Amino acid sequence: MTQSHPRISKAVIPAAGLGTRFLPATKATPKEMLPVVDKPAIQYVVEEAVAAGLDDVLMVTGRNKRPLEDHFDRNYELESALQKKGDAGRLAKVQESSDLATMHYVRQGDPKGLGHAVLCAAPHVGDEPFAVLLGDDLIDPRDPLLQRMVEVQEQRGGSVIALMEVAPEQIHLYGCAAVETTEDSDVVKVSGLVEKPDPADAPSNYAIIGRYVLDPHIFEILRKTEPGRGGEIQLTDALQQLAEDEKIGGPVHGVVFKGRRYDTGDRGDYLRAIVRLACEREDLGPDFRTWLRSYVAEEM
C-alpha cells in the first residue's frame, strides 16, 4: 500500500571541486560558473531544484568559490545601470538568479569527497529527507527527473537515486547499482551499489547519475564511513549500507532516466551540451543551426 512521507523542501548542491579538467579556465573561475550558452552551469541546477518545488538551496562550497555567492546575490550597480539604459530584458535576466531561491552556503574545508560534502549539509538539513544535485549533470527541464524522484520518495520512503543505462564498457566511469524490478516500469529497487567497478565485475549497466533524494539517516552512516575509492568518503558506500539494511533508513530505490542529460564535467561533453542547447534556443537556434550545417559541410 502506498504511504505518504514528509514533503521535501531542501536541496543540497556540492560545489567545492577544483575543476582540474578545465584548467587553466578554472584557475580563478569556479567550474560551476563556466557558461553554458549564456547562463552559468550552476544556475541550470538551481532552476531544476526550484522547478521540483525545492526552493531552500544549500550550496557546499570551498576556497575561491565566492563568485557563486555573488551570482545569486543582488548586483545593485549593474541593475541600476541597466535600468537607466531602459534595458528591461537584460535587467530581468540579471534579477532572475537572485530571485530564484533562498540560498545558503557552507564551506567544505578539506576536499574529502562527495560523501563528506553531503555530510557538511547535516546542520542545515536536520531530520528531513533532502535532494542532492551535482552540478556536472544538467537535466533538460522538459524531462523532470527530480520531480519524479521526489514523488517516488514521498510514496515509498527511504532514498532514491537516479540511474541511467550505459554501455557495459563505460560502467567503470560511474557508480553502479544492482537492481530488482518493481510494479513501476521506471522504478527499480536497489539491492547493492559499487563505485566504478571493472566491467567484468559490474552487477548491471545501470549507472548512478548526479541526482539523489536521501533519507536523513545517511548522515549517521557518513559520519562512520571510512575513506574508500580514491581516498575519499564515498556517498555510494553509505548508500550501499542503506540498501543492505532497510531498518536503518528505509529502502533505496532508483528512477531509471531515459531523457535528455547534458554532461558538463568533461570538456568534449561540455562543448556538445552548448551546441545542443544553442540549437534548441528560439533566439539563437535558427541562425546557429544554419551556420553549423554550413561549417560541417565546408570544413569537415
Side-chain angles (χ1 to χ4, degrees):
M1 183 176 178
T2 300
Q3 294 180 322
S4 178
H5 295 271
R7 174 68 191 174
I8 299 167
S9 63
K10 295 179 180 177
V12 174
I13 302 177
L18 298 176
T20 53
R21 286 180 289 181
F22 281 85
L23 286 170
T26 50
K27 179 181 178 181
T29 301
K31 67 173 183 176
E32 297 84 4
M33 289 300 296
L34 294 178
V36 180
V37 188
D38 54 5
K39 282 193 297 191
I42 194 68
Q43 184 169 333
Y44 288 89
V45 179
V46 174
E47 288 173 347
E48 180 187 351
V50 172
L54 315 182
D55 57 3
D56 183 321
V57 178
L58 174 70
M59 206 167 289
V60 183
T61 67
R63 292 186 64 231
N64 301 322
K65 297 286 185 168
R66 182 61 185 269
L68 293 172
E69 298 185 35
D70 291 340
H71 180 71
F72 292 100
D73 199 358
R74 297 294 297 272
N75 187 328
Y76 293 102
E77 294 83 358
L78 177 58
E79 291 178 28
S80 177
L82 292 171
Q83 197 164 26
K84 288 177 181 177
K85 294 169 81 172
D87 196 338
R90 287 190 173 89
L91 177 61
K93 289 182 179 179
V94 167
Q95 292 176 332
E96 182 183 11
S97 60
S98 57
D99 295 335
L100 267 175
T102 301
M103 302 293 299
H104 309 270
Y105 304 91
V106 63
R107 284 201 173 192
Q108 184 178 7
D110 296 327
K112 297 179 181 178
L114 176 58
H116 181 259
V118 171
L119 184 56
C120 291
H124 180 78
V125 169
D127 193 26
E128 303 175 28
F130 64 103
V132 174
L133 299 86
L134 304 190
D136 288 347
D137 282 324
L138 303 188
I139 304 299
D140 195 293
R142 293 168 294 184
D143 302 309
L145 169 62
L146 187 59
Q147 288 172 257
R148 176 59 175 153
M149 294 173 67
V150 168
E151 178 184 281
V152 170
Q153 197 281 335
E154 290 176 346
Q155 291 173 348
R156 299 173 181 264
S159 297
V160 181
I161 62 177
L163 299 174
M164 179 183 70
E165 289 190 80
V166 300
E169 61 270 19
Q170 292 183 319
I171 198 64
H172 71 283
L173 300 172
Y174 299 87
C176 177
V179 303
E180 304 167 5
T181 59
T182 72
E183 64 275 15
D184 294 318
S185 60
D186 65 333
V187 178
V188 294
K189 186 173 181 181
V190 177
S191 57
L193 294 154
V194 59
E195 182 68 19
K196 297 181 179 178
D198 291 331
D201 300 325
S204 73
N205 66 330
Y206 283 105
I208 305 170
I209 58 176
R211 297 295 180 270
Y212 308 81
V213 177
L214 301 176
D215 183 276
H217 285 89
I218 195 77
F219 295 131
E220 298 175 22
I221 298 174
L222 285 170
R223 290 186 183 101
K224 302 173 184 176
T225 299
E226 295 294 326
R229 193 178 184 95
E232 298 182 335
I233 298 174
Q234 297 289 348
L235 181 60
T236 303
D237 293 342
L239 284 166
Q240 165 65 17
Q241 292 190 48
L242 287 180
E244 287 179 344
D245 187 357
E246 294 185 13
K247 295 178 182 178
I248 298 176
V252 178
H253 287 91
V255 170
V256 180
F257 182 63
K258 297 182 179 180
R260 288 156 283 201
R261 166 182 174 258
Y262 312 107
D263 182 357
T264 61
D266 172 83
R267 289 174 299 173
D269 285 338
Y270 169 75
L271 294 173
R272 284 186 280 272
I274 293 174
V275 171
R276 289 174 65 182
L277 288 169
C279 284
E280 294 178 1
R281 287 269 294 262
E282 291 184 5
D283 56 340
L284 298 173
D287 288 343
F288 185 69
R289 289 193 299 269
T290 298
W291 173 84
L292 190 60
R293 292 190 189 99
S294 175
Y295 174 76
V296 171
E298 294 176 9
E299 304 293 335
M300 307 300 288

